Amino acid sequence: MASVLAIETSCDETAVAVVNNRQVLSSVVASQVAVHQKYGGIVPEVASRQHVETINQLIDLALSEAGLDWSAIDGIAATCAPGLIGALLVGLTAAKTIALLQNKPFIGVHHLEGHIYASYLSSPDLKPPFLCLLVSGGHTSLIYVKDCGIYETLGQTRDDAAGEAFDKVARLMDLDYPGGPVIDRLAQQGNPQAFALPEGQVSLRGGGFHPYDSSFSGLKTAVLRLTEKLKQSGELPVADLAASFQATVAKALTKRAIACALDYGLDTIAVGGGVAANSGLRQHLQAAASQHNLRVLFPPMKYCTDNAAMIACAAVEHLERGHRSSLNLGAQSRMPISEVMQLYTEPAIHPGG
Amino acid sequence: MSIHLSPATVGSPVGTYGLAIHTSSSDFGLAISNFSRDRRVQTWVLGRDLSMYLHTYLVDFLQPQSWSDLAFIAVAKGPGGFTGTRLGVVTARTLAQQLEIPLFGISSLAAIAYAESLKGVQDAIAIQMKAQRGEVFGAIYQPTTTGLETLLEDTVLPLEQWQHQLSAWSEPLKLVVIEEGVGSTVDSLLALAHLKWQQGDRSHWADTLPFYGQHPVDR
């Protein structure tokens, strides 16, 4: 089976990994969270600068931790879309340079496809079709996984991503960045029914609501108004606010994921993205899924957040199917996951050929 | 996280060629030479397409030489466009890392000054280049028999302050104002790196990072 070295720099984590088939040989991540903390969020130019400072040392480290040399690497991969353009370009440029020097095939990988493949790392026997609930700071999507490179987005957020909503609400409550872990910790001590918050429904033109799309901007505004009101009357009940907000998000995501899986006859929901670590989401989704005999897969936390092992895992399968990217491949800030196969424009090469 | 760096530099490299990469402005410049009879320089106006074509142009340009012919690499470390400079620096750092050869990060302003000095300018040379937020990058160099002496390090400052500094300069000065397109000075970049090489400098790739001069948030 093929071994791939992959680079992931789509946002604020610099990551390099070596994966053989679905087995992680090494996975190193340099987080920039502390760097961006003082700005209250990710500053794209700062993220790009940090990637430049770190990427080459991580390449050395990932290769040495894998115990391999370049002769044992069959392909070089990098996340090329979607993400912060400047950040993506750092990883993409380093990967292309290595591919050129080491004379290896180059494989550009869609970041969301990487998150889907994170589930294969912890459940190597997983096979399509299944539903992927992808929830992170940049994405909230329900993706029908049909085969390698063949995806259909069935639901998505119309405004803020779930993780983004956690960050913004944390700021309203004067909590630290990133908001997800802080709110989750506080929510353990609060009453999830203390405040009734709107779930956020997406209206359809002909009436009714979209069954799978979500919206978190109304929820965020409701928390804003509530915190303003509560601040006037004294100290904020942060634990109850956190618990109520988290429960509302978890219920909204669970309802849509379950409905989507049932409607499409899919018996497995694989969850990916940083918000997959959220305890409220895990509890709600597990409980609802078991009522409907659905299987839910949560990858280990290290593969939920951005990492390069998931990118390498996706690249291995593309490589084995003869998919190759051009060295002229560019970075894209946005790209629907349904267009993944456009990344592979080089003549198909038969495995071993 | 503990990070191990590869040994700095090979003592006696197999290669005899130097390769220079200039991506700090809208035009992309490459130069290669063995500092004897073989010397090639080429520029392309790529603008935002730089990231797409950098590698294919690089590999085409390198021929008939191969990677193993390279003894060192030079790269424009800025100031200039943030993204463009970064692409060149990442490419150069990765090449030098993988080939285990030295990397010289050379100021874009120094390369311009050296190109001027080759025209016979003997006075100190002040380079002024447009920066963001109404500021300018500035530096002052003195041509010498062995290259350039830095009189004022690359800096970024408001235009008025820079002009005041120039008017207060006590020695004769030639001012060069650059608006765009300095990729053609890639030849000077290579020459400056070669001077360092000849003086026994064997800089490690990890020592070269872009010089931005400005921060997107902090002032």
Side-chain angles (χ1 to χ4, degrees):
Chain A
M1 301 301 273
S3 293
V4 167
L5 179 137
I7 298 174
E8 152 67 36
T9 59
S10 66
C11 194
D12 63 338
E13 314 278 10
T14 317
V16 185
V18 178
V19 167
N20 173 264
N21 191 22
R22 291 177 178 179
Q23 186 192 351
V24 181
L25 303 182
S26 67
S27 179
V28 290
V29 181
S31 175
Q32 300 179 10
V33 167
V35 176
H36 297 280
Q37 217 152 24
K38 69 171 177 172
Y39 305 115
I42 296 162
V43 180
E45 174 62 23
V46 172
S48 304
R49 294 180 182 191
Q50 289 293 315
H51 288 313
V52 176
E53 291 185 18
T54 322
I55 186 69
N56 292 89
Q57 284 93 338
L58 291 191
I59 291 166
D60 262 357
L61 193 61
L63 200 60
S64 69
E65 283 193 3
L68 300 179
D69 60 23
W70 290 113
S71 64
I73 300 292
D74 302 297
I76 310 294
T79 308
C80 59
L84 303 172
I85 283 287
L88 285 167
L89 284 174
V90 174
L92 195 57
T93 301
K96 285 182 186 178
T97 307
I98 296 171
L100 198 66
L101 268 177
Q102 304 294 346
N103 199 23
K104 307 285 182 188
F106 169 65
I107 306 111
V109 176
H110 192 288
H111 182 74
L112 302 193
E113 189 179 37
H115 276 297
I116 290 168
Y117 271 77
S119 292
Y120 292 116
L121 291 173
S122 50
S123 307
D125 299 332
L126 177 65
K127 285 183 183 153
F130 60 89
L131 183 69
C132 178
L133 168 61
L134 182 56
V135 271
S136 69
H139 312 277
T140 300
S141 307
L142 283 162
I143 300 164
Y144 184 175
V145 180
K146 297 177 178 178
D147 197 357
C148 170
I150 305 175
Y151 309 103
E152 185 181 352
T153 301
L154 300 174
Q156 58 194 326
T157 179
R158 295 293 181 96
D159 37 61
D160 293 344
E164 192 181 358
F166 271 93
D167 286 339
K168 288 178 176 175
V169 164
R171 208 174 304 155
L172 294 175
M173 292 161 61
D174 302 320
L175 302 174
D176 285 343
Y177 169 88
V182 186
I183 288 181
D184 197 3
R185 198 170 56 246
L186 285 166
Q188 315 292 327
Q189 302 143 27
N191 173 11
Q193 289 164 338
F195 302 103
L197 294 166
E199 178 189 300
Q201 307 248 49
V202 177
S203 303
L204 291 172
R205 276 188 186 168
F209 300 103
H210 195 292
Y212 317 131
D213 278 1
S214 49
S215 164
F216 297 107
S217 65
L219 171 60
K220 184 186 65 191
T221 307
V223 175
L224 168 67
R225 288 189 183 137
L226 185 58
T227 51
E228 283 173 347
K229 191 174 149 193
L230 291 168
K231 276 178 184 171
Q232 285 172 357
S233 53
E235 203 171 312
L236 273 184
V238 285
D240 285 348
L241 269 172
S244 301
F245 168 75
Q246 179 165 298
T248 308
V249 174
K251 277 182 199 165
L253 292 171
T254 297
K255 190 168 104 180
R256 285 157 180 77
I258 298 289
C260 193
L262 294 175
D263 291 351
Y264 281 82
L266 302 169
D267 62 6
T268 301
I269 302 171
V271 190
V275 182
N278 184 269
S279 63
L281 176 62
R282 286 181 176 241
Q283 287 159 16
H284 277 90
L285 192 55
Q286 291 279 21
S290 65
Q291 284 175 13
H292 295 279
N293 290 322
L294 297 173
R295 181 167 69 138
V296 182
L297 300 173
F298 285 98
M301 197 47 219
K302 62 183 175 183
Y303 301 136
C304 285
T305 50
D306 287 352
N307 66 90
M310 65 185 195
I311 303 300
C313 186
V316 165
E317 185 149 8
H318 282 294
L319 187 69
E320 295 205 329
R321 291 182 180 219
H323 303 160
R324 305 287 186 274
S325 300
S326 161
L327 283 178
N328 294 342
L329 183 70
Q332 296 180 57
S333 61
R334 292 170 179 271
M335 182 185 194
I337 194 168
S338 55
E339 295 174 6
V340 160
M341 290 309 295
Q342 291 180 12
L343 301 175
Y344 309 109
T345 53
E346 292 296 279
I349 298 168
H350 252 311
Chain B
M1 177 180 293
S2 141
I3 293 175
H4 169 75
L5 298 179
S6 303
T9 312
V10 281
S12 52
V14 187
T16 54
Y17 281 78
L19 171 73
I21 302 170
H22 201 318
T23 59
S24 290
S25 67
S26 57
D27 50 356
F28 169 43
L30 290 173
I32 190 168
S33 179
N34 62 358
F35 311 100
S36 176
R37 291 183 176 177
D38 199 359
R39 171 180 164 275
R40 283 175 286 127
V41 179
Q42 198 167 350
T43 57
W44 300 262
V45 180
L46 291 181
R48 289 177 181 270
D49 290 335
L50 173 68
S51 67
M52 291 171 69
Y53 298 112
L54 190 158
H55 291 86
T56 45
Y57 284 11
L58 175 61
V59 78
D60 288 348
F61 178 80
L62 184 70
Q63 293 167 7
Q65 277 70 50
S66 63
W67 299 115
S68 61
D69 290 322
L70 299 180
F72 69 86
I73 293 169
V75 67
K77 65 175 184 178
F82 295 165
T83 302
T85 302
R86 227 175 352 250
L87 292 178
V89 170
V90 170
T91 303
R93 277 167 59 102
T94 308
L95 287 172
Q97 176 193 32
Q98 297 302 318
L99 295 169
E100 297 186 11
I101 57 175
L103 171 62
F104 299 103
I106 306 286
S107 156
S108 315
L109 304 186
I112 300 165
Y114 191 68
E116 283 298 314
S117 75
L118 294 179
K119 294 176 188 168
V121 177
Q122 292 180 339
D123 292 338
I125 302 167
I127 308 294
Q128 174 186 320
M129 184 192 272
K130 193 179 171 188
Q132 292 181 13
R133 303 182 210 124
E135 295 186 311
V136 293
F137 294 113
I140 302 176
Y141 298 93
Q142 178 64 57
T144 67
T145 51
T146 53
L148 288 177
E149 182 191 348
T150 305
L151 302 181
L152 177 69
E153 292 277 358
D154 294 12
T155 186
V156 64
L157 66 182
L159 179 61
E160 302 73 32
Q161 199 179 323
W162 167 245
Q163 286 171 335
H164 176 74
Q165 200 153 356
L166 293 181
S167 60
W169 200 263
S170 57
E171 302 296 320
L173 202 61
K174 177 176 181 184
L175 174 65
V176 179
V177 179
I178 299 293
E179 289 296 326
E180 248 304 329
V182 293
S184 60
T185 61
V186 66
D187 203 14
S188 298
L189 201 71
L190 185 57
L192 285 170
H194 186 230
L195 286 169
K196 286 174 179 275
W197 171 261
Q198 285 177 311
Q199 288 158 14
D201 188 340
R202 299 292 184 265
S203 296
H204 192 280
W205 59 264
D207 297 332
T208 293
L209 284 169
F211 170 77
Y212 299 106
Q214 294 177 309
H215 193 275
V217 186
D218 301 336
R219 295 288 190 269

